[in-house]
Amino acid sequence: MSCYHLGIDCGTQGLSVVLTDGSVPSCPVVAVGEGSYDMLPPPDNTSSSEICEQNPDDWIEALRCAMDGIRTKLAVVASDASILDDVVSIGISGQMHGEVLISATGDVVGPARLWCDGRNAAEGAELTTLFGTKVPKRATVARFLWTARNAPQRAARTDRVTTPAGYIAYRLTGQFDLGIGEASGMFPIDQSTLDYDVEMMAKFDTLIEQESAGAHGGGNTCNDDGQINIKSIRNLLPRVRLSGQDGGTVSADGAAILGVPSLSTKRTAVAPAEGDQVSALAGSLIASPGQVGCCFGTSVCANSVGDRAFAGVSSAVDHFCAADGKPINMIWLRNGTTFMNTVVDMFGT
Protein backbone atom coordinates (compact mmCIF):
# COMPACT_ATOMS: atom_id res chain seq x y z
CA MET A 1 0.00 0.00 0.00
CA SER A 2 1.37 3.43 -0.98
CA CYS A 3 2.12 5.66 1.99
CA TYR A 4 3.93 8.99 1.76
CA HIS A 5 4.85 11.68 4.28
CA LEU A 6 5.34 15.39 3.60
CA GLY A 7 7.73 17.52 5.65
CA ILE A 8 7.66 21.33 5.51
CA ASP A 9 10.32 23.59 7.01
CA CYS A 10 9.95 27.38 7.08
CA GLY A 11 13.45 28.72 7.63
CA THR A 12 14.83 32.23 7.96
CA GLN A 13 16.09 32.32 4.38
CA GLY A 14 13.72 29.95 2.58
CA LEU A 15 11.20 27.11 2.74
CA SER A 16 11.80 23.44 1.94
CA VAL A 17 9.43 20.53 1.36
CA VAL A 18 10.53 16.89 1.52
CA LEU A 19 8.42 13.95 0.31
CA THR A 20 9.36 10.54 1.77
CA ASP A 21 8.12 7.02 1.07
CA GLY A 22 6.61 5.59 4.25
CA SER A 23 5.98 2.18 2.73
CA VAL A 24 9.72 1.44 2.99
CA PRO A 25 11.23 1.01 6.50
CA SER A 26 14.06 3.46 5.79
CA CYS A 27 11.51 6.08 4.63
CA PRO A 28 13.68 7.25 1.70
CA VAL A 29 13.40 10.74 0.21
CA VAL A 30 11.45 10.73 -3.05
CA ALA A 31 11.54 14.42 -3.97
CA VAL A 32 12.49 17.80 -2.56
CA GLY A 33 11.09 21.24 -3.39
CA GLU A 34 12.20 24.70 -2.31
CA GLY A 35 10.93 28.26 -2.24
CA SER A 36 12.64 31.48 -1.21
CA TYR A 37 11.74 34.86 0.27
CA ASP A 38 13.50 37.94 1.59
CA MET A 39 13.37 40.21 4.59
CA LEU A 40 11.09 43.20 4.21
CA PRO A 41 12.80 46.56 3.83
CA PRO A 42 12.75 48.60 7.06
CA PRO A 43 9.96 51.15 7.50
CA ASP A 44 10.40 54.61 6.01
CA ASN A 45 13.03 56.76 7.71
CA THR A 46 14.35 53.71 9.58
CA SER A 47 17.72 52.10 9.00
CA SER A 48 18.00 49.97 12.14
CA SER A 49 19.80 46.68 11.58
CA GLU A 50 17.74 45.32 14.50
CA ILE A 51 14.59 45.14 12.34
CA CYS A 52 14.02 41.69 10.83
CA GLU A 53 10.55 41.23 9.35
CA GLN A 54 8.92 39.07 6.69
CA ASN A 55 5.53 38.89 5.01
CA PRO A 56 3.70 35.66 6.01
CA ASP A 57 2.09 35.57 2.58
CA ASP A 58 5.60 35.11 1.16
CA TRP A 59 5.93 31.87 3.14
CA ILE A 60 2.69 30.58 1.61
CA GLU A 61 3.82 31.53 -1.88
CA ALA A 62 7.14 29.78 -1.21
CA LEU A 63 5.20 26.68 -0.11
CA ARG A 64 3.23 26.72 -3.38
CA CYS A 65 6.49 27.08 -5.31
CA ALA A 66 8.10 24.21 -3.38
CA MET A 67 5.11 21.96 -4.07
CA ASP A 68 5.38 22.82 -7.78
CA GLY A 69 9.00 21.74 -7.58
CA ILE A 70 7.97 18.46 -5.98
CA ARG A 71 5.50 17.80 -8.80
CA THR A 72 8.11 18.59 -11.44
CA LYS A 73 10.60 16.16 -9.91
CA LEU A 74 7.96 13.46 -9.44
CA ALA A 75 7.22 13.64 -13.16
CA VAL A 76 10.85 12.64 -13.71
CA VAL A 77 11.60 10.15 -10.93
CA ALA A 78 8.15 8.54 -10.62
CA SER A 79 6.51 9.50 -13.92
CA ASP A 80 3.40 10.24 -11.87
CA ALA A 81 2.77 13.25 -9.62
CA SER A 82 -0.50 11.67 -8.43
CA ILE A 83 1.39 9.86 -5.68
CA LEU A 84 0.87 13.08 -3.70
CA ASP A 85 -2.71 11.82 -3.27
CA ASP A 86 -1.20 9.07 -1.09
CA VAL A 87 0.31 11.47 1.46
CA VAL A 88 -0.97 10.28 4.86
CA SER A 89 0.70 12.80 7.17
CA ILE A 90 2.31 16.22 7.16
CA GLY A 91 4.91 17.59 9.57
CA ILE A 92 5.80 21.27 9.89
CA SER A 93 8.85 22.90 11.46
CA GLY A 94 10.13 26.44 11.31
CA GLN A 95 12.27 29.26 12.65
CA MET A 96 11.33 29.65 16.31
CA HIS A 97 10.25 32.70 18.32
CA GLY A 98 8.61 34.72 15.55
CA GLU A 99 5.58 36.93 16.17
CA VAL A 100 2.74 36.49 13.69
CA LEU A 101 -0.39 38.45 14.63
CA ILE A 102 -3.78 37.28 13.36
CA SER A 103 -7.04 39.26 13.49
CA ALA A 104 -10.48 37.88 14.37
CA THR A 105 -11.20 37.59 10.65
CA GLY A 106 -8.07 35.50 10.07
CA ASP A 107 -6.03 38.25 8.44
CA VAL A 108 -2.39 38.96 9.24
CA VAL A 109 -1.96 42.12 11.34
CA GLY A 110 1.21 43.73 10.03
CA PRO A 111 4.50 42.04 9.13
CA ALA A 112 5.87 39.06 11.07
CA ARG A 113 8.78 39.85 13.37
CA LEU A 114 11.44 37.11 13.31
CA TRP A 115 13.65 35.53 15.96
CA CYS A 116 16.55 37.76 14.88
CA ASP A 117 14.61 41.03 15.31
CA GLY A 118 16.44 42.68 18.21
CA ARG A 119 14.10 45.50 19.20
CA ASN A 120 12.77 43.93 22.40
CA ALA A 121 15.88 43.24 24.48
CA ALA A 122 14.56 45.49 27.26
CA GLU A 123 11.26 43.62 27.33
CA GLY A 124 13.05 40.26 27.59
CA ALA A 125 15.10 41.50 30.56
CA GLU A 126 12.00 42.97 32.20
CA LEU A 127 10.01 39.75 31.86
CA THR A 128 12.97 37.72 33.14
CA THR A 129 12.82 39.76 36.35
CA LEU A 130 9.01 39.59 36.52
CA PHE A 131 8.77 35.83 35.92
CA GLY A 132 11.93 34.70 37.73
CA THR A 133 12.91 32.60 34.72
CA LYS A 134 14.91 33.64 31.69
CA VAL A 135 12.91 35.19 28.86
CA PRO A 136 15.34 35.77 25.97
CA LYS A 137 14.75 38.83 23.86
CA ARG A 138 13.77 36.63 20.92
CA ALA A 139 10.90 34.97 22.85
CA THR A 140 7.51 35.75 21.32
CA VAL A 141 6.08 37.04 24.61
CA ALA A 142 8.84 39.68 24.76
CA ARG A 143 8.00 40.67 21.18
CA PHE A 144 4.32 41.01 21.98
CA LEU A 145 5.06 43.19 25.02
CA TRP A 146 7.12 45.42 22.70
CA THR A 147 4.22 45.50 20.22
CA ALA A 148 1.73 46.42 22.97
CA ARG A 149 3.95 49.35 23.90
CA ASN A 150 5.08 50.53 20.48
CA ALA A 151 2.14 49.54 18.25
CA PRO A 152 -0.82 49.29 20.67
CA GLN A 153 -3.47 49.51 17.95
CA ARG A 154 -1.88 46.54 16.20
CA ALA A 155 -1.82 44.59 19.47
CA ALA A 156 -5.47 45.47 20.10
CA ARG A 157 -6.50 44.16 16.67
CA THR A 158 -4.81 40.85 17.42
CA ASP A 159 -7.03 37.84 18.11
CA ARG A 160 -4.27 35.21 17.97
CA VAL A 161 -0.47 35.17 18.16
CA THR A 162 1.55 32.38 16.58
CA THR A 163 4.92 31.62 14.98
CA PRO A 164 5.97 31.06 11.35
CA ALA A 165 5.50 27.27 11.67
CA GLY A 166 2.26 27.85 13.54
CA TYR A 167 1.02 30.17 10.81
CA ILE A 168 1.64 27.59 8.08
CA ALA A 169 -0.17 24.99 10.21
CA TYR A 170 -3.07 27.44 10.64
CA ARG A 171 -3.28 28.02 6.89
CA LEU A 172 -3.27 24.26 6.24
CA THR A 173 -5.70 23.21 9.01
CA GLY A 174 -7.58 26.29 10.20
CA GLN A 175 -6.52 25.47 13.79
CA PHE A 176 -4.25 27.29 16.24
CA ASP A 177 -2.25 24.37 17.65
CA LEU A 178 1.47 24.28 18.37
CA GLY A 179 3.93 21.64 19.49
CA ILE A 180 5.14 22.15 23.05
CA GLY A 181 8.71 22.86 21.95
CA GLU A 182 7.63 25.67 19.67
CA ALA A 183 5.14 26.88 22.27
CA SER A 184 7.91 27.09 24.89
CA GLY A 185 9.66 29.56 22.60
CA MET A 186 6.58 31.75 22.78
CA PHE A 187 5.86 31.64 26.52
CA PRO A 188 7.36 29.72 29.49
CA ILE A 189 5.98 26.22 30.04
CA ASP A 190 5.10 24.80 33.47
CA GLN A 191 6.82 21.40 33.66
CA SER A 192 4.18 20.12 36.11
CA THR A 193 1.30 20.71 33.67
CA LEU A 194 3.13 20.79 30.31
CA ASP A 195 1.16 23.91 29.45
CA TYR A 196 1.79 27.65 29.66
CA ASP A 197 2.64 28.79 33.20
CA VAL A 198 -0.61 30.11 34.72
CA GLU A 199 1.02 32.39 37.30
CA MET A 200 3.28 33.96 34.70
CA MET A 201 0.31 34.54 32.37
CA ALA A 202 -1.50 36.36 35.20
CA LYS A 203 1.57 38.55 35.80
CA PHE A 204 1.82 39.31 32.09
CA ASP A 205 -1.87 40.24 31.84
CA THR A 206 -1.51 42.58 34.83
CA LEU A 207 1.47 44.25 33.18
CA ILE A 208 -0.46 44.66 29.91
CA GLU A 209 -3.46 46.13 31.77
CA GLN A 210 -1.17 48.68 33.41
CA GLU A 211 0.36 49.52 30.04
CA SER A 212 -3.07 49.80 28.37
CA ALA A 213 -4.34 52.15 31.07
CA GLY A 214 -1.86 54.71 29.85
CA ALA A 215 -2.45 54.15 26.14
CA HIS A 216 -5.45 55.72 24.41
CA GLY A 217 -6.73 55.60 20.88
CA GLY A 218 -9.94 55.35 18.94
CA GLY A 219 -12.17 52.90 17.11
CA ASN A 220 -13.41 49.46 18.10
CA THR A 221 -10.11 48.49 19.75
CA CYS A 222 -10.85 50.81 22.69
CA ASN A 223 -13.33 50.78 25.56
CA ASP A 224 -15.66 53.66 26.49
CA ASP A 225 -12.79 55.48 28.19
CA GLY A 226 -10.62 55.28 25.09
CA GLN A 227 -8.34 52.70 26.74
CA ILE A 228 -6.68 50.19 24.41
CA ASN A 229 -8.19 46.69 24.72
CA ILE A 230 -5.72 43.80 24.42
CA LYS A 231 -6.83 40.22 24.92
CA SER A 232 -5.54 38.03 27.74
CA ILE A 233 -2.35 36.21 26.77
CA ARG A 234 -4.08 32.88 27.52
CA ASN A 235 -6.60 33.60 24.75
CA LEU A 236 -3.95 34.79 22.32
CA LEU A 237 -1.59 31.83 22.48
CA PRO A 238 -2.04 28.61 20.45
CA ARG A 239 -3.12 25.38 22.14
CA VAL A 240 -0.11 23.36 23.38
CA ARG A 241 0.20 19.85 21.93
CA LEU A 242 2.68 17.07 22.68
CA SER A 243 4.26 14.88 20.00
CA GLY A 244 1.73 12.30 18.88
CA GLN A 245 -1.28 14.44 19.79
CA ASP A 246 -3.78 15.80 17.28
CA GLY A 247 -2.55 18.79 15.29
CA GLY A 248 -5.54 18.96 12.93
CA THR A 249 -6.23 17.76 9.41
CA VAL A 250 -5.78 19.40 6.01
CA SER A 251 -8.65 21.77 5.21
CA ALA A 252 -9.99 22.57 1.75
CA ASP A 253 -8.03 25.84 1.79
CA GLY A 254 -4.91 24.00 2.93
CA ALA A 255 -5.26 21.40 0.19
CA ALA A 256 -5.57 24.21 -2.37
CA ILE A 257 -2.32 25.75 -1.13
CA LEU A 258 -0.57 22.39 -1.48
CA GLY A 259 -2.22 21.79 -4.85
CA VAL A 260 -3.53 18.37 -3.75
CA PRO A 261 -7.34 18.61 -3.31
CA SER A 262 -7.68 14.98 -2.19
CA LEU A 263 -5.80 15.68 1.06
CA SER A 264 -8.83 17.56 2.34
CA THR A 265 -11.40 14.87 1.54
CA LYS A 266 -9.09 12.24 3.06
CA ARG A 267 -8.60 14.44 6.17
CA THR A 268 -4.85 13.98 5.99
CA ALA A 269 -3.29 14.36 9.45
CA VAL A 270 -1.02 17.29 10.31
CA ALA A 271 1.35 16.93 13.26
CA PRO A 272 1.56 19.82 15.74
CA ALA A 273 3.94 22.40 14.23
CA GLU A 274 7.32 22.40 15.95
CA GLY A 275 10.38 24.60 16.14
CA ASP A 276 13.42 23.84 14.01
CA GLN A 277 15.65 23.11 17.00
CA VAL A 278 13.08 20.80 18.57
CA SER A 279 12.54 18.99 15.27
CA ALA A 280 16.28 18.56 14.80
CA LEU A 281 16.53 16.87 18.20
CA ALA A 282 13.61 14.55 17.46
CA GLY A 283 14.96 13.71 14.01
CA SER A 284 18.37 12.91 15.51
CA LEU A 285 16.76 10.64 18.14
CA ILE A 286 18.15 12.83 20.93
CA ALA A 287 15.53 12.47 23.65
CA SER A 288 17.13 11.13 26.83
CA PRO A 289 18.37 13.35 29.69
CA GLY A 290 22.04 14.14 29.25
CA GLN A 291 22.06 13.85 25.48
CA VAL A 292 23.18 16.90 23.52
CA GLY A 293 22.52 17.90 19.92
CA CYS A 294 24.15 20.66 17.87
CA CYS A 295 22.53 22.39 14.91
CA PHE A 296 24.25 24.65 12.35
CA GLY A 297 21.95 27.03 10.50
CA THR A 298 21.53 30.79 10.36
CA SER A 299 22.48 30.47 14.04
CA VAL A 300 24.47 27.74 15.82
CA CYS A 301 22.75 25.99 18.74
CA ALA A 302 23.65 23.31 21.27
CA ASN A 303 20.70 21.73 23.07
CA SER A 304 20.93 19.48 26.14
CA VAL A 305 17.94 17.38 27.23
CA GLY A 306 17.30 17.75 30.97
CA ASP A 307 15.78 15.53 33.65
CA ARG A 308 14.15 18.13 35.90
CA ALA A 309 12.13 21.34 35.82
CA PHE A 310 13.93 24.58 35.02
CA ALA A 311 15.30 26.53 38.01
CA GLY A 312 17.04 29.87 38.30
CA VAL A 313 18.32 32.28 35.67
CA SER A 314 21.56 32.05 33.70
CA SER A 315 22.37 34.69 31.13
CA ALA A 316 24.07 32.06 28.95
CA VAL A 317 21.35 29.39 29.01
CA ASP A 318 17.87 29.47 27.47
CA HIS A 319 15.14 27.05 28.52
CA PHE A 320 12.71 25.32 26.16
CA CYS A 321 11.03 21.94 25.73
CA ALA A 322 11.53 18.84 23.60
CA ALA A 323 8.65 17.58 21.47
CA ASP A 324 7.49 15.31 24.32
CA GLY A 325 7.76 18.07 26.92
CA LYS A 326 11.14 17.23 28.47
CA PRO A 327 13.15 20.34 29.42
CA ILE A 328 15.88 21.54 27.05
CA ASN A 329 18.75 23.84 27.98
CA MET A 330 20.16 25.77 25.03
CA ILE A 331 23.27 27.81 24.36
CA TRP A 332 23.65 29.49 20.99
CA LEU A 333 25.47 31.87 18.67
CA ARG A 334 23.44 34.21 16.47
CA ASN A 335 25.87 34.26 13.52
CA GLY A 336 26.14 30.77 12.05
CA THR A 337 26.25 29.57 8.47
CA THR A 338 25.35 32.98 7.02
CA PHE A 339 28.61 34.36 8.41
CA MET A 340 30.49 31.20 7.42
CA ASN A 341 29.16 31.44 3.85
CA THR A 342 30.23 35.09 3.68
CA VAL A 343 33.78 34.13 4.64
CA VAL A 344 33.80 31.34 2.05
CA ASP A 345 32.54 33.74 -0.62
CA MET A 346 35.26 36.23 0.30
CA PHE A 347 38.23 33.86 0.46
CA GLY A 348 37.07 30.71 -1.37
CA THR A 349 37.11 27.13 -0.18
Side-chain angles (χ1 to χ4, degrees):
M1 178 180 175
S2 297
C3 172
Y4 295 90
H5 307 287
L6 200 65
I8 301 169
D9 180 67
C10 179
T12 309
Q13 303 172 67
L15 181 144
S16 300
V17 176
V18 178
L19 179 69
T20 61
D21 186 351
S23 65
V24 180
S26 62
C27 212
V29 173
V30 178
V32 176
E34 296 182 339
S36 62
Y37 35 77
D38 296 315
M39 296 289 180
L40 294 175
D44 293 341
N45 303 318
T46 303
S47 59
S48 174
S49 60
E50 294 287 278
I51 298 176
C52 297
E53 298 177 328
Q54 288 177 344
N55 182 351
D57 287 339
D58 290 345
W59 305 332
I60 301 303
E61 185 57 35
L63 176 54
R64 290 192 176 99
C65 180
M67 289 301 297
D68 287 342
I70 290 277
R71 276 183 283 271
T72 298
K73 291 175 182 177
L74 286 178
V76 175
V77 301
S79 300
D80 186 5
S82 68
I83 65 174
L84 288 171
D85 292 326
D86 295 323
V87 168
V88 297
S89 68
I90 297 174
I92 304 168
S93 66
Q95 46 178 314
M96 295 177 69
H97 314 297
E99 178 200 62
V100 186
L101 309 179
I102 311 295
S103 72
T105 58
D107 299 317
V108 175
V109 182
R113 297 175 59 216
L114 305 187
W115 65 272
C116 43
D117 188 297
R119 286 175 283 178
N120 35 258
E123 283 73 18
E126 180 180 352
L127 290 176
T128 295
T129 300
L130 180 65
F131 292 165
T133 190
K134 186 180 178 184
V135 178
K137 69 178 182 179
R138 65 188 187 282
T140 308
V141 63
R143 302 198 184 289
F144 190 70
L145 178 57
W146 184 94
T147 299
R149 289 171 169 169
N150 294 274
Q153 290 287 354
R154 182 183 297 177
R157 288 180 54 207
T158 299
D159 187 66
R160 291 282 191 169
V161 181
T162 190
T163 63
Y167 179 72
I168 290 177
Y170 162 65
R171 290 294 302 271
L172 294 185
T173 68
Q175 296 182 196
F176 284 101
D177 293 328
L178 212 56
I180 190 169
E182 180 78 333
S184 69
M186 294 190 74
F187 196 95
I189 294 291
D190 183 343
Q191 281 288 305
S192 67
T193 64
L194 296 182
D195 203 348
Y196 303 115
D197 190 292
V198 174
E199 292 185 5
M200 294 182 192
M201 286 192 292
K203 290 179 180 180
F204 185 82
D205 284 341
T206 298
L207 177 60
I208 288 293
E209 288 171 4
Q210 295 170 348
E211 297 284 334
S212 299
H216 293 76
N220 57 14
T221 59
C222 303
N223 61 21
D224 293 339
D225 297 325
Q227 180 177 318
I228 298 290
N229 288 325
I230 298 175
K231 290 181 66 174
S232 165
I233 192 68
R234 168 78 268 185
N235 297 325
L236 289 169
L237 293 169
R239 181 174 62 162
V240 176
R241 310 300 285 162
L242 300 180
S243 56
Q245 291 184 329
D246 176 32
T249 59
V250 176
S251 66
D253 288 342
I257 291 172
L258 297 172
V260 191
S262 65
L263 298 185
S264 174
T265 55
K266 293 180 179 179
R267 299 183 61 80
T268 300
V270 178
E274 268 296 1
D276 50 4
Q277 297 299 315
V278 181
S279 300
L281 286 179
S284 304
L285 303 182
I286 296 175
S288 299
Q291 289 187 318
V292 179
C294 294
C295 182
F296 291 80
T298 305
S299 61
V300 179
C301 300
N303 299 289
S304 173
V305 181
D307 61 357
R308 69 201 73 177
F310 312 134
V313 175
S314 170
S315 60
V317 182
D318 296 342
H319 308 295
F320 305 113
C321 293
D324 63 355
K326 288 189 182 74
I328 292 174
N329 299 303
M330 173 195 287
I331 58 175
W332 69 291
L333 298 173
R334 174 169 174 169
N335 294 315
T337 56
T338 301
F339 176 74
M340 293 166 61
N341 291 339
T342 300
V343 173
V344 170
D345 290 341
M346 289 174 63
F347 299 104
T349 57

